[in-house]
Amino acid sequence: MVVGERRFGVTLAENATARALAGMLPLTLQMAELNGNEKHADLPAALPADASKPGTIRNGDLMLYGAKTVVVFYQSFPSPYAYASIGHVADPAGLAQALGRHGVRVVFQRGR
């Protein structure tokens, strides 16, 4: 995952949601700010989703809300909402700073 000049490795979950997203790569999304803890954007197509309520969202979680909304979380907090896991940023140090306080362009691509 690339945000500005920063690269963040993402470990994908072993599920149909993550495999379907990987099949869309490379993918560039203009992600909007929400709640001071996440960035989100709609995908061009729906993904398979087996959503559950994680209870606690962790800094670096990459999730699917509904069938088409990708969410990158940059703060940990309790949540009553259901998401399908896509993966997790391997080392989220600096993620909040890279994502910033406003909308941001995020590129998802295969590792090199």
Side-chain angles (χ1 to χ4, degrees), residues 3-30:
V3 183
E5 300 296 317
R6 294 283 312 266
R7 288 186 177 275
F8 295 92
V10 174
T11 302
L12 292 178
E14 293 187 22
N15 61 33
T17 307
R19 285 189 293 277
L21 182 68
M24 293 180 159
L25 300 181
L27 181 66
T28 300
L29 298 174
Q30 185 63 36

Side-chain angles (χ1 to χ4, degrees), residues 1-4 21 24-32 39-45 47 62-64 68-72 86 99 103-109:
M1 180 174 86
V2 180
V3 183
L21 182 68
M24 293 180 159
L25 300 181
L27 181 66
T28 300
L29 298 174
Q30 185 63 36
M31 302 190 82
K39 301 291 190 212
H40 67 93
D42 284 343
L43 295 168
L47 300 180
L62 181 61
M63 306 279 222
L64 182 71
K68 289 183 70 172
T69 304
V70 171
V71 185
V72 177
I86 296 171
L99 291 170
V104 65
R105 184 174 153 251
V106 178
V107 179
F108 295 93
Q109 60 191 26

Side-chain angles (χ1 to χ4, degrees), residues 28-85:
T28 300
L29 298 174
Q30 185 63 36
M31 302 190 82
E33 169 63 32
L34 185 64
N35 299 324
N37 59 21
E38 67 186 75
K39 301 291 190 212
H40 67 93
D42 284 343
L43 295 168
L47 300 180
D50 184 15
S52 63
K53 294 180 180 180
T56 299
I57 299 293
R58 296 176 298 138
N59 177 19
D61 280 347
L62 181 61
M63 306 279 222
L64 182 71
Y65 181 74
K68 289 183 70 172
T69 304
V70 171
V71 185
V72 177
F73 292 96
Y74 58 88
Q75 286 187 358
S76 299
F77 63 97
S79 174
Y81 296 102
Y83 300 92
S85 178

